[in-house]
Amino acid sequence: MNKNYYAILMAGGVGSRFWPVSKEDFPKQFHDMLGTGETLIQRTFNRLGKLIPKENIFILTNESYNDLVLEQLPEVSERQVVLEPAMRNTAPCILYASLKVQKENPDAMMIVAPSDHWIEDEVAFTENVQQAFDFCEKNDALMTLGIQPTFPNTGYGYIEFDKAPNKTIKVVNQFREKPDYQTAKQFIAQGNFLWNAGIFMWSAKSVIKAFQNNQPELFKLFEKGTEVYNTSHEQKFIDENYKLAENISVDYAIMESSKNVYVIPANFDWSDLGTWGSLYDKLEKDSNNNAVVNAKTLTDDASGNMIRTSNEKVVIIDGLSDYIVVDDNEVLLIFPKAKEQDIKKVLQQVKDKFGEHYG
């Protein structure tokens, strides 16, 4: 394996749309959401480990998840767990991790990948990442993987690329915000739009230069710590300075304003597993189109349901269709799939009425 290859595995999110399984103290990336025997973070770590030396995979997460990371990824040392003392979106933590990696290896090539995505064809994923690394080694480039849209999804941002023929690696014209349905239909009809999956590849040099050029204040804040990164004094510096960083995504911070941005249309199926509905879409269904994780079910006049319980619980459903049925210790959720975007609101109502403990 190439010792210059590094990964930044993003594992700090709360995943509140997967409540009640995903809670603030135990979010979705640490759960086996699909009933495969692996949690999402374990699956992602193993996928990245097919190309990246395992000792070069850094896990970026909130400091409250440190123990969970070390428990679920026993191959990982404490050196590889990069802890955020405050929630500041993706740009500050990526800059911080990039400066750490560059200090360790100035020739580092990096992939930044979320911990909670589902990718079926891991061989195709590895080939696409290798292709990106090969390009970024020879060019000052910020690279992303774009997903071929299968329908006019309004829940994702889009990447518009240059239509130059016969090029696998496309020049990015612009990033587009989550569209309404009609705009999404237009994007797909044009043929040069991809879903933005939030997977990035670049050299440590290129990404740090992009921050220096586009986010000088943020760069100065973290660059001050260069001397102490990867030493016993690092944590003190981060505890004092991290909270001063602007709350900004890496897309806004550098990708949308840089001129050297490229995209590879991905050769693999992908889901961001953002909602119970997206999980339902990925799971096998029974003869009545119910998707079941962990439970033993007896159903009558019940179809299109997403059913998940603790292991081996028997669930009997009669006369219910297109619902989310999730049983998790203290909370039972029975909720229409069509209203799943309201789960975050319901979670807040539960916390207001019964206490933060339930979230």
Side-chain angles (χ1 to χ4, degrees):
M1 283 200 176
N2 191 325
K3 65 180 175 49
N4 292 335
Y5 288 179
Y6 283 75
I8 306 298
L9 199 166
M10 309 285 284
V14 174
S16 54
R17 287 179 297 174
F18 269 116
W19 182 79
V21 169
S22 182
K23 297 194 175 95
E24 202 163 316
D25 61 351
F26 204 116
K28 67 173 177 175
Q29 59 268 30
F30 301 109
H31 288 276
D32 176 7
M33 295 302 299
L34 290 102
T36 63
E38 281 183 310
T39 65
L40 293 177
I41 193 172
Q42 288 170 335
R43 177 96 182 196
T44 306
F45 183 87
N46 292 331
R47 179 167 63 245
L48 292 170
K50 291 179 167 62
L51 183 65
I52 316 288
K54 289 197 171 175
E55 66 273 15
N56 288 357
I57 302 176
F58 286 78
I59 292 84
L60 259 176
T61 191
N62 190 281
E63 59 185 10
S64 58
Y65 304 144
N66 186 40
D67 291 346
L68 273 173
V69 169
L70 294 171
E71 178 189 318
Q72 294 204 1
L73 303 175
E75 310 101 308
V76 162
S77 68
E78 290 197 24
R79 157 191 159 271
Q80 292 167 254
V81 186
V82 182
L83 301 174
E84 307 165 79
M87 302 283 268
R88 286 295 181 272
N89 216 315
T90 52
C93 58
I94 288 172
L95 174 57
Y96 167 34
S98 301
L99 287 164
K100 277 176 63 67
V101 167
Q102 187 188 47
K103 186 176 179 187
E104 180 172 298
N105 183 345
D107 298 319
M109 305 298 305
M110 299 166 57
I111 175 172
V112 175
S115 60
D116 52 1
H117 288 182
W118 183 256
I119 291 169
E120 200 74 48
D121 189 344
E122 299 192 340
V123 173
F125 169 81
T126 303
E127 286 170 356
N128 281 158
V129 175
Q130 183 67 68
Q131 197 177 9
F133 278 174
D134 291 344
F135 185 83
C136 292
E137 274 180 322
K138 300 186 183 97
N139 300 276
D140 176 19
L142 305 177
M143 181 77 73
T144 185
L145 295 180
I147 308 300
Q148 307 275 7
T150 51
F151 67 99
N153 195 315
T154 58
Y156 300 143
Y158 284 70
I159 301 164
E160 180 185 350
F161 62 84
D162 188 86
K163 280 185 172 176
N166 305 322
K167 286 193 176 176
T168 310
I169 294 174
K170 314 283 189 182
V171 174
V172 171
N173 288 343
Q174 60 180 323
F175 288 81
R176 305 290 288 266
E177 295 299 310
K178 294 174 185 176
D180 59 29
Y181 184 71
Q182 287 305 321
T183 308
K185 276 172 65 175
Q186 288 166 17
F187 286 172
I188 290 177
Q190 284 177 239
N192 63 324
F193 282 81
L194 301 164
W195 289 337
N196 182 1
I199 303 170
F200 307 104
M201 286 98 4
W202 41 52
S203 67
K205 288 186 192 114
S206 288
V207 70
I208 288 167
K209 186 164 88 172
F211 274 107
Q212 194 170 4
N213 292 340
N214 295 293
Q215 297 293 329
E217 292 303 312
L218 194 64
F219 174 76
K220 278 181 208 160
L221 176 66
F222 283 96
E223 198 251 351
K224 284 188 305 184
T226 302
E227 273 188 36
V228 300
Y229 290 147
N230 308 334
T231 76
S232 58
H233 302 290
E234 176 181 332
Q235 197 57 52
K236 183 173 186 293
F237 171 82
I238 288 300
D239 288 343
E240 290 171 358
N241 288 278
Y242 199 91
K243 60 182 178 286
L244 306 176
E246 184 182 353
N247 190 335
I248 183 171
S249 74
V250 74
D251 297 72
Y252 280 121
I254 60 170
M255 299 301 282
E256 294 183 9
S257 47
S258 296
K259 304 297 181 198
N260 58 334
V261 182
Y262 300 83
V263 64
I264 295 176
N267 292 329
F268 51 83
D269 287 338
W270 166 92
S271 171
D272 73 340
L273 292 187
T275 63
W276 287 113
S278 63
L279 179 62
Y280 172 86
D281 292 340
K282 279 289 151 198
L283 291 166
E284 289 185 19
K285 317 294 190 294
D286 66 15
S287 57
N288 292 311
N289 242 13
N290 297 304
V292 180
V293 177
N294 296 335
K296 295 177 175 177
T297 58
L298 186 62
T299 60
D300 187 32
D301 188 25
S303 63
N305 297 300
M306 172 70 237
I307 304 162
R308 189 189 194 279
T309 70
S310 53
N311 275 337
E312 303 298 305
K313 180 166 277 192
V314 174
V315 179
I316 301 99
I317 297 179
D318 189 337
L320 194 68
S321 295
D322 299 317
Y323 265 70
I324 298 161
V325 180
V326 179
D327 180 43
D328 187 68
N329 298 327
E330 298 169 310
V331 178
L332 170 63
L333 177 75
I334 304 170
F335 206 77
K337 266 169 42 190
K339 292 175 65 180
E340 69 171 356
Q341 294 301 331
D342 293 339
I343 285 177
K344 283 174 91 167
K345 285 188 216 161
V346 171
L347 166 58
Q348 192 54 56
Q349 289 168 351
V350 168
K351 290 202 286 194
D352 290 346
K353 184 166 185 177
F354 303 114
E356 292 290 322
H357 163 74
Y358 290 93

